[in-house]
Amino acid sequence: TLVTYNRLREHKTQLASIHYAVAQIDAFVGIAQLMDQHSGTLHPYCFASFVRDAAAPYLEVVDGWHPLLPATNVVANSLDAATQHHFVLTGPNRSGKSSFMRMLGLNAVLAQTFGIAAARAFTLTPFDKIMTFMTIADDMVQGQSSFVARMMRADACIQAQQTLPADHFALILLDDSVGQGTTVEKGEQVAYELAQVLGSYDNNIVLCIVTGK
């Protein structure tokens, strides 16, 4: 065992490059199989298209769907954020608002890692930051109530946006839990102020869920 370990250490550089190549092949095969399985179906995968050297963020989705849900159960949705960059999503409970935002975030990550998306077409500028404010839980070990945890996450989103260079882009997804954990009036004020601050920047695309008044 010691001899084997020493030999591995001796050739670790060569082995690392081999492992990297095998991992790439495995990823490419997985992508090909996934796209082939959904080819010609109602909910296909596509290769993402990137807009380079853009002066403003860009995101256009045609029939996008949630890649972690069974394709037989999803409802496809589209988004045109080519010129309009800040959106408010509203509607009744269980109408698909959070699923829609998760679909956007997951497909943006898929596009920028594997070059594919669960959609008929997915066009975007590369995003340097993809920030979410979704499913924020309390942390009793750290002494953080759910409200404190949400405020810390909100501050992290603002700080990340403030430090982002003007020619770099961010995709920001905010669900309706922003102001939860306090009074309705205070919660609505916090949610409005967060959306207002993040929406004041020109180098991001922001979607915010609103279910209140």
Side-chain angles (χ1 to χ4, degrees), residues 2-190:
L2 182 60
V3 173
T4 302
Y5 173 74
N6 289 332
R7 292 296 298 272
L8 288 173
R9 287 193 59 186
E10 181 182 350
H11 299 284
K12 64 179 181 180
T13 302
Q14 297 92 322
L15 290 172
S17 61
I18 293 173
H19 290 164
Y20 180 76
V22 171
Q24 278 194 315
I25 293 171
D26 183 55
F28 293 149
V29 170
I31 292 169
Q33 290 177 335
L34 186 65
M35 297 192 70
D36 181 64
Q37 290 170 2
H38 291 270
S39 178
T41 66
L42 185 61
H43 301 299
Y45 277 82
C46 70
F47 288 110
S49 299
F50 290 92
V51 179
R52 305 289 183 178
D53 302 320
Y58 185 102
L59 178 61
E60 184 176 5
V61 184
V62 178
D63 291 342
W65 54 282
H66 196 306
L68 297 184
L69 296 178
T72 54
N73 298 338
V74 298
V75 175
N77 288 279
S78 300
L79 174 72
D80 184 356
T83 55
Q84 175 65 38
H85 296 146
H86 303 137
F87 301 86
V88 172
L89 277 65
T90 187
N93 289 333
R94 300 182 63 83
S95 59
K97 301 182 299 297
S98 294
S99 294
F100 175 74
M101 292 219 299
R102 288 186 173 92
M103 176 273 289
L104 293 176
L106 288 169
N107 278 315
V109 172
L110 274 177
Q112 295 189 188
T113 50
F114 294 109
I116 63 172
R120 290 197 180 278
F122 199 89
T123 307
L124 70 162
T125 49
F127 292 106
D128 290 83
K129 294 185 180 295
I130 299 175
M131 295 180 281
T132 64
F133 194 111
M134 307 184 78
T135 319
I136 308 298
D138 57 13
D139 188 343
M140 293 297 99
V141 175
Q142 298 296 326
Q144 297 176 3
S145 66
S146 59
F147 182 71
V148 171
R150 290 184 175 95
M151 293 306 95
M152 292 182 66
R153 179 59 179 163
D155 183 66
C157 290
I158 292 173
Q159 292 295 326
Q161 177 63 68
Q162 289 176 338
T163 58
L164 187 66
D167 58 346
H168 292 216
F169 306 134
L171 174 63
I172 305 175
L173 307 172
L174 311 172
D175 74 3
D176 56 353
S177 69
V178 172
Q180 292 180 3
T182 184
T183 64
V184 174
E185 293 76 12
K186 181 64 175 179
E188 289 180 349
Q189 178 185 355
V190 169

